[in-house]
């Protein structure tokens, strides 16, 4: 535990711009999101079968991100959210700025929050960024969505926090 904290603190000292998103891991279960309204057990039950519904619900997204943070894989949800925000961008100048930030933060090799995508997807994404468009990150976003759906969602559904939500 002390070694984990030391590692996290070392990372914080190296990357002060990302320190705001960084939380030292907690032992048991993820903290409950405070801002969004808690869903009914029936609504939360729907998340088992639909990552899309989970991500579209502010409380669900906050809960899932908190769970991923406890597993040290929050970059996947952050990337997905960044892509959704990017797709809503209208201004070509702002789109180019966001594309650059997303690429540097999540896609490029050794990025601070590098997501796990295959070489082909990374190459296609880089090619799409020559002329940024709302669909520039679609392939990478779909790969990460599939990864979260297949891997992270089942673990989230088995988590103590989710089990409390559906009671």
């Amino acid at each position: 535990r002390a070694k984990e904290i030391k590692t996290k603190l070392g990372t914080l000292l190296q990357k002060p711009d990302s320190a705001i998103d960084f939380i030292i891991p907690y032992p048991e279960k993820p903290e409950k999101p405070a801002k969004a309204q808690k869903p009914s057990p029936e609504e939360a039950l729907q998340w088992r079968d639909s990552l899309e519904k989970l991500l579209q619900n502010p409380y669900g997204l906050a809960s899932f991100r908190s769970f991923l943070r406890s597993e040290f894989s929050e970059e996947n949800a952050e990337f997905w959210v960044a892509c959704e925000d990017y797709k809503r961008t209208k201004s070509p100048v702002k789109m180019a700025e966001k594309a650059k930030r997303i690429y540097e933060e999540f896609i490029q090799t050794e990025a601070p929050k590098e997501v796990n995508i295959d070489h082909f997807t990374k190459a296609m994404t880089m090619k799409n960024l020559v002329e940024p468009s709302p669909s520039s990150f679609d392939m990478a976003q779909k790969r990460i969505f599939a990864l979260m759906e297949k891997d992270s969602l089942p673990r989230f559904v088995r988590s103590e926090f989710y089990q409390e939500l559906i009671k």
Side-chain angles (χ1 to χ4, degrees):
R1 177 100 174 105
K3 193 172 184 178
E4 277 182 352
I5 293 172
K6 186 177 178 183
T7 303
K8 294 296 174 194
L9 288 174
T11 306
L12 282 174
L13 293 172
Q14 291 173 1
K15 299 176 185 149
D17 56 334
S18 65
I20 203 158
D21 295 330
F22 217 139
I23 296 178
I24 294 174
Y26 25 81
E28 309 295 311
K29 59 182 180 177
E31 63 191 46
K32 293 183 182 179
K35 295 175 193 163
Q37 184 177 346
K38 187 174 180 179
S40 67
E42 294 75 28
E43 188 177 0
L45 267 172
Q46 295 178 355
W47 300 345
R48 274 194 310 212
D49 306 315
S50 174
L51 179 59
E52 202 165 308
K53 284 183 181 175
L54 169 67
L55 296 174
Q56 288 172 353
N57 179 295
Y59 194 93
L61 175 61
S63 302
F64 190 56
R65 285 179 77 167
S66 190
F67 170 76
L68 291 176
R69 188 178 306 122
S70 75
E71 293 202 329
F72 305 100
S73 62
E74 187 186 14
E75 69 278 355
N76 293 329
E78 287 184 18
F79 174 69
W80 187 87
V81 168
C83 290
E84 288 298 296
D85 176 58
Y86 172 80
K87 287 192 270 191
R88 289 189 297 270
T89 306
K90 302 292 181 218
S91 158
V93 172
K94 283 211 185 305
M95 187 173 277
E97 289 171 3
K98 286 182 180 184
K100 182 179 188 296
R101 185 187 62 77
I102 291 171
Y103 174 77
E104 290 175 350
E105 192 171 349
F106 299 103
I107 304 290
Q108 77 180 6
T109 306
E110 301 297 320
K113 298 176 182 179
E114 186 176 1
V115 291
N116 186 7
I117 54 175
D118 58 274
H119 181 71
F120 176 76
T121 303
K122 188 180 280 197
M124 290 302 294
T125 302
M126 288 166 57
K127 185 179 173 195
N128 292 343
L129 292 177
V130 172
E131 289 184 40
S133 74
S135 62
S136 292
F137 292 102
D138 283 1
M139 182 186 275
Q141 187 182 19
K142 283 183 177 100
R143 294 275 196 276
I144 294 303
F145 183 90
L147 180 70
M148 289 191 298
E149 192 171 45
K150 184 183 82 184
D151 189 47
S152 304
L153 181 61
R155 285 197 313 277
F156 173 68
V157 167
R158 289 190 303 267
S159 74
E160 188 180 321
F161 180 71
Y162 178 78
Q163 292 302 316
E164 287 296 316
L165 274 178
I166 59 174
K167 283 183 181 176

